[in-house]
């Protein structure tokens, strides 16, 4: 089956995950990486598209529970983190080939 290249925003997000040295990457880190590239998305819009990417099985997501110190004591933060699936890596490869870029590396 011949799939079309990824939409631009999905390509940016999946590239941000793959370019990170960690296997599991938090949404906060992905958004920061995107912002460095000039792409800004507010939390709700970002997590909405991440939900779509997860439904498409391009990434695997899980809740990541961590303890974070805020100005007033400690607060428990539950955040999503993501890793690329084989399907996501293949989609990045296919998109990069379509636009003449180099092949994706395995995470």
């Amino acid at each position: 089956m011949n799939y079309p290249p990824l939409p631009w925003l999905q390509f940016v997000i999946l590239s941000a995950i793959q370019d990170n040295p960690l296997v599991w990457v938090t949404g906060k880190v992905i958004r920061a990486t995107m912002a460095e590239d000039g792409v800004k998305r507010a939390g709700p819009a970002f997590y909405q598209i991440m939900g779509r990417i997860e439904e498409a099985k391009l990434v695997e997501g899980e809740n990541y529970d961590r303890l974070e110190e805020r100005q007033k004591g400690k607060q428990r933060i539950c955040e999503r983190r993501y890793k690329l699936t084989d399907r996501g890596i293949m989609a990045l490869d296919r998109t990069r080939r379509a636009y003449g870029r180099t092949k994706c590396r395995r995470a």
Side-chain angles (χ1 to χ4, degrees), residues 26 28 63-81:
T26 64
K28 184 177 181 178
N63 287 332
Y64 172 61
D65 211 14
R66 63 189 175 93
L67 202 59
E68 183 174 287
E69 287 193 34
R70 298 277 174 130
Q71 286 181 337
K72 293 183 180 180
K74 293 183 179 182
Q75 179 179 1
R76 190 158 283 303
I77 305 288
C78 190
E79 165 172 33
R80 297 283 293 165
R81 63 182 184 173

Side-chain angles (χ1 to χ4, degrees), residues 4 31 36-37 42 50 63 71 73 81 85 98 100:
R31 287 194 322 274
E36 288 173 7
D37 293 333
M50 288 308 296
N63 287 332
Q71 286 181 337
R81 63 182 184 173
T85 61

Side-chain angles (χ1 to χ4, degrees), residues 1 5 9 15 20 22 26 28 30 36 39 48 50 54 57 65 75 78-79 82-83 86-87 89-90 93 100:
M1 190 170 200
L9 187 55
S15 294
N20 194 291
L22 302 173
T26 64
K28 184 177 181 178
I30 297 167
E36 288 173 7
V39 181
Q48 183 177 37
M50 288 308 296
E54 218 175 321
K57 307 271 191 249
D65 211 14
Q75 179 179 1
C78 190
E79 165 172 33
Y82 305 91
K83 73 175 182 176
D86 288 340
R87 189 173 183 170
I89 292 169
M90 289 188 305
D93 281 342

Side-chain angles (χ1 to χ4, degrees), residues 9-10 13 27 31 34 41-56 59 80 82:
L9 187 55
Q10 288 183 11
I13 290 170
R31 287 194 322 274
M34 291 170 58
R41 288 292 181 272
F46 171 77
Y47 286 106
Q48 183 177 37
I49 192 155
M50 288 308 296
R52 290 187 196 130
I53 294 171
E54 218 175 321
E55 283 178 13
V59 298
R80 297 283 293 165
Y82 305 91

